[in-house]
């Protein structure tokens, strides 16, 4: 299929391009490079030996969207382009709603003008909020605790209403758990612009000597070792879930949410220990207070994705840490070192 990938130069998008091309899909990227660099696509092209049409532009720009639709005529769109920093979203709510909700609306309008009927959306487990029960299944109540989470839930609602209004539209809502890891080539990976917000890139920067120690946010949670537990998923498994979603979208209509996780969870201390195994050196840590807004634990029930998308994660924790370490140690300054 011809698949337009918004935000395709980003962390998850770049890995997804490779998996799509490996399965014979044609791809086109629209990215405004607000959180990526063009070097990413240079590397993806080298790894895939494939052609990638690409446009530098904003997903909120109708003229740009029309130009892309006309040039590429996508049969499906995977919509990664968005903002993702939970803390920043509270400080800049209008910006987050503009990009994450406004961007999705602008994209849907352009798809309607172009006759494109299938959209795969980057949603997040954060739409669930404080767990009423775990593992979360897709019927768990949604009650996001951040502007970021609200923006994802609003976009889900818009997509659900869009798909309900027309009999032949498809919206696949992928609720990601915690993506980590890097491509096996160590050529592409996660490259945070500033101080990493997330655990795994922070640990990786400590391991490579860019930061002195990891702060462990909270050791008094109701978890076996007192630190927060998450369902970490290898980015290549997550990328493959998008390929599965494209196949699903060919044969299904309506809107449907899917949890994309492994169904297992690990604590902060588990992650530090696994990373130490991968890099062969100690990761210095300091105990710090809980981070505002964090929940104790979360875990996916990913059985719907297994049954309906025919997808399941296959990489384990050691694959996640080893690939992160390979990427970080070969690219200590990320893409900037290129
Ligand atoms: P990323 O920042 O690496 O990728 C997003 C890409 O979108 C970047 O290349 C950025 O330049 C581009 N972009 C941003 N705003 C744009 C705009 N207005 N127009 C065009 N391009 C724009 O992030 P990622 O980790 O790859 O995440 C991709 C998607 O998945 C995001 O929507 C994010 O909210 C969602 N998500 C991420 C996580 C996570 O932990 N990484 C978890 C759940 C959901
Ligand atoms: N943590 C630390 N020290 C750090 C960073 C994180 O102890 O320096 C802890 C957190 O307190 C938490 C765990 O590591 O217990 C994971 O934190 P992350 O920031 O890596 O991930 P979150 O679960 O908070 O959030 C991530 C993304 C969200 C997404 C969510 C989906 O940032 O965008 O996963 O589950 F919505």
């Amino acid at each position: 299929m011809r698949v337009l990938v918004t935000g395709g130069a980003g962390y998850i998008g770049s890995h997804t391009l490779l998996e799509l091309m490996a399965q014979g899909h044609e791809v086109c990227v629209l990215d405004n490079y607000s959180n990526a660099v063009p070097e990413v696509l240079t590397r993806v092209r080298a790894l895939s030996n494939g052609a990638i049409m690409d446009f530098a532009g904003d997903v909120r720009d109708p003229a740009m969207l029309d130009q892309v639709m006309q040039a590429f005529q996508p049969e499906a769109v995977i919509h990664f382009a968005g903002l993702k920093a939970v803390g920043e979203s509270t400080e800049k709510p209008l910006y987050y709603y503009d990009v994450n909700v406004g961007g999705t609306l602008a994209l849907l309008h352009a798809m309607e003008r172009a006759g494109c009927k299938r959209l795969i959306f980057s949603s997040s487990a954060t739409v669930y909020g404080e767990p009423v029960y775990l593992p979360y299944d897709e019927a768990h109540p949604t009650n996001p605790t951040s502007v970021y989470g609200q923006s994802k839930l609003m976009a889900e609602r818009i997509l659900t209403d869009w798909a309900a209004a027309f009999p032949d539209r498809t919206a696949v809502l992928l609720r990601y758990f915690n993506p980590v890891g890097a491509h096996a080539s160590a050529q592409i990976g996660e490259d945070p612009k500033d101080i990493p917000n997330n655990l795994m890139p922070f640990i990786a920067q400590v391991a490579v000597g860019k930061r002195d120690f990891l702060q462990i946010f909270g050791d008094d949670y109701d978890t076996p070792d007192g630190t927060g537990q998450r369902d970490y998923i290898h980015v290549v498994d997550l990328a493959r879930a998008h390929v599965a979603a494209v196949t699903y979208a060919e044969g299904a209509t309506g809107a449907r949410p899917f949890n994309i996780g492994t169904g297992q969870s690990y604590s902060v201390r588990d992650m530090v220990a696994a990373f130490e195994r991968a890099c062969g050196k100690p990761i210095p840590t300091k105990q710090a207070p809980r981070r505002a807004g964090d929940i104790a634990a979360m875990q996916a029930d990913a059985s719907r994705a297994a049954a309906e998308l025919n997808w399941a994660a296959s990489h384990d924790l050691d694959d996640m840490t080893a690939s992160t370490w390979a990427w970080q140690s070969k690219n200590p300054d990320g893409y900037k070192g290129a």
Side-chain angles (χ1 to χ4, degrees), residues 6-13 30-36 57-60 79-84 99-100 122-125 148 152 176-179 190 198:
T6 75
Y11 171 47
I12 305 168
L30 171 65
D31 200 300
N32 71 352
Y33 298 98
S34 57
N35 197 34
D58 198 295
V59 78
R60 292 165 294 175
H79 182 34
F80 291 109
L83 304 172
K84 62 170 181 177
V99 175
N100 290 358
S122 291
S123 189
S124 168
Y148 167 70
K152 289 289 175 187
Y176 313 157
F177 282 68
N178 288 55
E190 189 170 12
N198 298 118

Side-chain angles (χ1 to χ4, degrees), residues 219 221-229 265-267 269-270 296-297:
D219 63 352
Y221 285 109
D222 185 16
T223 59
D225 69 12
T227 68
Q229 284 185 319
S265 65
Y266 294 101
S267 73
R269 289 196 203 289
D270 292 334

Side-chain angles (χ1 to χ4, degrees), residues 257-282:
F258 293 94
N259 286 340
I260 304 296
T262 65
Q264 285 190 304
S265 65
Y266 294 101
S267 73
V268 176
R269 289 196 203 289
D270 292 334
M271 298 305 284
V272 171
F275 210 94
E276 287 175 334
R277 285 198 296 279
C279 71
K281 45 183 157 182

Side-chain angles (χ1 to χ4, degrees), residues 70-291:
Q70 206 163 26
F72 185 64
Q73 310 224 332
E75 294 157 285
V77 178
I78 304 181
H79 182 34
F80 291 109
L83 304 172
K84 62 170 181 177
V86 174
E88 184 188 50
S89 75
T90 310
E91 292 152 24
K92 300 177 180 170
L94 302 185
Y95 180 42
Y96 269 67
Y97 288 126
D98 194 40
V99 175
N100 290 358
V101 183
T104 304
L105 261 180
L107 178 61
L108 281 177
H109 281 301
M111 287 171 63
E112 283 299 311
R113 290 193 294 274
C116 180
K117 297 174 179 173
R118 304 179 184 98
L119 189 133
I120 290 127
F121 179 64
S122 291
S123 189
S124 168
T126 202
V127 298
Y128 294 119
E130 191 65 43
V132 178
Y133 55 83
L134 285 175
Y136 295 120
D137 56 24
E138 290 84 354
H140 186 283
T142 48
N143 191 16
T145 55
S146 67
V147 168
Y148 167 70
Q150 289 290 357
S151 73
K152 289 289 175 187
L153 188 58
M154 286 180 192
E156 281 199 7
R157 293 247 162 92
I158 291 168
L159 288 163
T160 303
D161 292 342
W162 169 71
F166 309 96
D168 58 352
R169 309 297 196 270
T170 315
V172 189
L173 313 172
L174 299 183
R175 294 175 175 166
Y176 313 157
F177 282 68
N178 288 55
V180 295
H183 191 254
S185 63
Q187 287 291 303
I188 57 169
E190 189 170 12
D191 182 19
K193 255 191 176 160
D194 304 310
I195 302 172
N197 293 308
N198 298 118
L199 179 64
M200 189 70 130
F202 203 104
I203 295 177
Q205 291 197 3
V206 173
V208 85
K210 293 186 75 158
R211 316 227 167 250
D212 294 336
F213 58 88
L214 169 78
Q215 294 189 78
I216 297 182
F217 297 140
D219 63 352
D220 56 352
Y221 285 109
D222 185 16
T223 59
D225 69 12
T227 68
Q229 284 185 319
R230 296 290 183 273
D231 184 333
Y232 295 94
I233 174 163
H234 196 296
V235 66
V236 172
D237 281 327
L238 177 56
R240 289 177 184 161
H242 292 80
V243 182
V246 167
T247 305
Y248 167 89
E250 260 189 291
T253 55
R256 189 105 169 120
F258 293 94
N259 286 340
I260 304 296
T262 65
Q264 285 190 304
S265 65
Y266 294 101
S267 73
V268 176
R269 289 196 203 289
D270 292 334
M271 298 305 284
V272 171
F275 210 94
E276 287 175 334
R277 285 198 296 279
C279 71
K281 45 183 157 182
I283 304 291
T285 62
K286 282 193 185 167
Q287 196 52 57
R290 290 182 179 195
R291 184 172 65 179

